[in-house]
Amino acid sequence: MLKQLGKRLLEKKLISEKQLKKALDRQRSKGGRLGQNLCDMGFLEEENLDQVFHPLPPMPQTVAESGLDLGFITDLALKHSLFLGEFGRNELMERTKLPASIIDAVLENLRKDQFVEVKGAELYARHSFRFAITEQGIRRANVLLEVCRYVGPAPVTLDVYRDMVALQTVKNILIDDQQVRQAFDHLVVNDDLLYRLGPALSSGKEIFLYGPPGNGKTSIAEAIGSLLPGTVFIPYALLVRGEIINVYDPVSHGDIISTVGEENPDQRWVEVRRPVIMAGGELSLRTLDLDFNTITKYYEAPLQVKANNGVLIIDDFGRQQIDPKQLLNRWMVPLDRRIDFMTLHTGMKFDIPFDTLVVFSTNIEPADLVDEAFLRRIRYKIKIDHPSIGEFEEIFRRLCEDHAMSFSRPVFEHLMDHYYRRLEVRFSSCHPKDLVEHIIEEASYHGHPPELSQGAIDRAWHNYFVNSSLGARFCPER
């Protein structure tokens, strides 16, 4: 990837060969990424680097440039025609996400085969023609739907997808200390944790968050996802060995960001924020492989493909439907080589990029989950421990402020002395939120404003805890 970056920068004449050599020498001696070294040495502006890693996929003007076969595009357009009934060229362009130059060739083919016919025109120009599918076209479209029921935007080829993922890789995002602190500003985390998280995030390597339950591992993992800068392009679908794989998922990828500017990008790609996908107890080996629908006759991409160029969070690791060692064995090669291998229902195999920042989050001891060999492959192991008394109080204060409730120091001391110290209960970061919510719900039911009073905190405590949950010992001077 470093050679590819250097080559692209040279091709765009953003740096000279002499500057590239100096930056590579600096990288060998001081480490870091090539792009960052170029920027630090003053050879390159960060905005120019962003342009290299965020290229607009160019709109294909010919069938050859689309990477698809004219017959394939014609069949896809005919299936669209079946559902459109009467339509114009622009409607077909919108459905297939292909330009007029290609759609005109497709419509000409459909007319020659008598699958569609001209029904009229608003003007005497070809672009104003109105078309309708014929009886012969309906029969042909129904045959095509029996083979594959995909009726969506035209797919992109696997080779083009590989290139785009490589250019947008999470390995080349630039994150500084200020950005890290800003991303975690809504959480109470100590400086030591931020100091360790920063390099981990900047590296793009796998992160293993572990520690006792209820102390913010999931919240920290989600904050990691929100930290990744910029946007990426994701295709609606891929064409692999004649099979269609649906990639874009509104649930996983969120809203589409409109591309602004004079350039006209390939509409078969959508611009979204770097994906952040979380999988919990529902994760299974099946969700990590292509999902072939026997009714629609096309595939849904697995989670790790949808998470390419973004973050994949495995929450509650060790509590999935599969043994954690099976999951890790499945990902041994992808995590190491950044390539995954998929198998079509026809038995054909192919490789696909595995370019995602994987964050494992668990409250199970790492040694009880996986062996040392696998832990060695995960670069960063970070423990999220119980909060100190100062951090616990800060969490409590923030929650009271968020809910327009006055923080009472005497009531907080009552909570400390009467419960945490006397019963020797360990602090957990989730306790303030849960206790405050008990107070709010009680106040809402009785129709008065929530108040942090001694009576309210007593009732919240007894509603929240049971005797079996008080076994952890308290350590007052952590």
Side-chain angles (χ1 to χ4, degrees):
M1 185 61 202
L2 296 179
K3 290 182 179 179
Q4 185 179 9
L5 171 60
K7 183 179 179 181
R8 287 183 62 82
L9 292 171
L10 289 173
E11 288 175 350
K12 290 179 174 289
K13 298 182 179 179
L14 293 173
I15 60 172
S16 67
E17 290 190 12
K18 185 177 180 181
Q19 289 172 329
L20 176 59
K21 184 179 183 304
K22 286 183 177 180
L24 288 170
D25 290 341
R26 185 178 192 268
Q27 183 188 35
R28 279 189 287 270
S29 62
K30 295 190 175 183
R33 296 173 183 167
L34 176 60
Q36 187 63 65
N37 278 284
L38 286 164
C39 293
D40 291 345
M41 296 176 77
F43 297 155
L44 189 68
E45 296 291 333
E46 284 195 10
E47 58 186 35
N48 290 334
L49 187 63
D50 290 339
Q51 291 175 8
V52 174
F53 290 128
H54 193 256
L56 292 175
M59 176 70 81
Q61 297 303 317
T62 65
V63 173
E65 289 177 4
S66 74
L68 305 174
D69 181 75
L70 180 58
F72 174 88
I73 302 174
T74 302
D75 288 345
L76 179 62
L78 183 58
K79 288 189 284 186
H80 278 293
S81 303
L82 180 65
F83 293 99
L84 286 170
E86 187 175 318
F87 60 94
R89 182 182 70 175
N90 288 348
E91 292 164 87
L92 206 53
M93 288 168 56
E94 175 60 30
R95 291 291 191 101
T96 60
K97 306 298 182 184
L98 292 171
S101 56
I102 295 178
I103 293 301
D104 282 342
V106 167
L107 286 171
E108 189 62 29
N109 262 10
L110 291 173
R111 287 179 64 191
K112 285 181 178 178
D113 292 334
Q114 299 182 350
F115 291 149
V116 301
E117 59 186 2
V118 178
K119 298 295 288 185
E122 296 175 5
L123 304 170
Y124 290 105
R126 177 186 290 185
H127 69 265
S128 69
F129 285 3
R130 300 294 295 174
F131 301 90
I133 190 169
T134 63
E135 287 296 326
Q136 188 173 334
I138 291 173
R139 289 193 295 271
R140 172 61 180 167
N142 283 321
V143 170
L144 293 172
L145 287 171
E146 287 299 315
V147 176
C148 177
R149 292 186 177 273
Y150 179 81
V151 184
V156 302
T157 63
L158 181 59
D159 287 341
V160 172
Y161 176 70
R162 289 187 184 120
D163 290 342
M164 184 61 77
V165 171
L167 289 173
Q168 301 176 143
T169 177
V170 293
K171 298 290 183 182
N172 286 307
I173 56 175
L174 301 177
I175 298 173
D176 58 31
D177 186 63
Q178 182 180 354
Q179 290 172 303
V180 171
R181 292 182 179 277
Q182 186 176 355
F184 288 89
D185 186 56
H186 64 293
L187 300 174
V188 177
V189 292
N190 58 60
D191 285 342
D192 178 65
L193 179 59
L194 291 178
Y195 195 82
R196 296 176 64 196
L197 276 173
L201 297 173
S202 184
S203 72
K205 301 288 187 180
E206 298 74 33
I207 301 174
F208 198 96
L209 302 178
Y210 68 100
N215 286 295
K217 292 183 295 297
T218 300
S219 298
I220 289 172
E222 290 174 335
I224 289 172
S226 68
L227 177 61
L228 296 189
T231 59
V232 293
F233 286 96
I234 291 175
Y236 281 103
L238 296 176
L239 183 66
V240 181
R241 310 283 176 85
E243 303 286 343
I244 293 179
I245 303 171
N246 189 67
V247 177
Y248 173 68
D249 177 5
V251 175
S252 299
H253 295 128
D255 296 332
I256 297 174
I257 299 171
S258 298
T259 302
V260 180
E262 296 180 0
E263 297 178 87
N264 184 25
D266 189 342
Q267 298 299 310
R268 295 176 295 168
W269 299 79
V270 292
E271 187 180 11
V272 299
R273 300 196 181 280
R274 288 188 180 269
V276 179
I277 297 177
M278 180 178 290
E282 77 283 358
L283 186 69
S284 66
L285 282 178
R286 182 177 178 180
T287 58
L288 302 180
D289 290 323
L290 291 170
D291 182 17
F292 181 70
N293 190 312
T294 56
I295 296 174
T296 61
K297 307 292 178 63
Y298 64 89
Y299 297 83
E300 188 71 23
L303 287 178
Q304 68 272 26
V305 173
K306 292 181 180 181
N308 267 334
N309 297 141
V311 178
L312 177 58
I313 302 169
I314 309 298
D315 200 25
D316 285 330
F317 180 55
R319 304 188 187 280
Q320 279 71 34
Q321 300 176 29
I322 56 174
D323 182 83
K325 292 180 180 177
Q326 282 185 291
L327 172 61
L328 297 176
N329 286 336
R330 166 68 177 79
W331 274 357
M332 190 75 77
V333 172
L335 287 173
D336 187 42
R337 297 178 55 191
R338 319 305 295 180
I339 293 175
D340 202 358
F341 294 92
M342 299 284 160
T343 304
L344 300 171
H345 74 284
T346 58
M348 299 290 290
K349 296 181 181 294
F350 65 95
D351 62 275
I352 197 165
F354 187 94
D355 185 76
T356 178
L357 172 58
V358 183
V359 180
F360 297 95
S361 172
T362 182
N363 52 38
I364 303 174
E365 280 297 317
D368 296 334
L369 278 175
V370 294
D371 57 26
E372 185 180 347
F374 188 84
L375 282 176
R376 191 173 65 248
R377 285 178 167 83
I378 298 179
R379 182 66 59 87
Y380 291 90
K381 279 81 70 175
I382 299 176
K383 186 174 185 178
I384 311 299
D385 213 338
H386 294 281
S388 67
I389 188 169
E391 292 166 345
F392 189 83
E393 181 177 344
E394 176 63 20
I395 296 171
F396 221 108
R397 284 181 178 274
R398 288 195 187 189
L399 282 163
C400 288
E401 182 181 333
D402 290 344
H403 293 92
M405 190 166 59
S406 297
F407 177 81
S408 170
R409 182 75 193 185
V411 173
F412 182 77
E413 285 299 327
H414 167 75
L415 176 66
M416 294 295 101
D417 293 335
H418 194 72
Y419 294 106
Y420 281 97
R421 293 189 178 101
R422 183 173 67 85
L423 299 175
E424 298 183 317
V425 179
R426 291 293 299 268
F427 297 133
S428 285
S429 298
C430 65
H431 290 174
K433 176 178 181 292
D434 295 336
L435 291 172
V436 166
E437 286 184 352
H438 272 282
I439 294 172
I440 292 170
E441 289 161 2
E442 179 187 80
S444 176
Y445 176 80
H446 291 290
H448 60 77
E451 180 184 4
L452 187 61
S453 65
Q454 183 173 313
I457 205 71
D458 287 341
R459 289 188 294 273
W461 179 277
H462 291 297
N463 286 336
Y464 182 53
F465 286 100
V466 293
N467 289 337
S468 61
S469 68
L470 304 181
R473 313 312 294 171
F474 171 76
C475 180
E477 299 300 332
R478 276 193 67 254

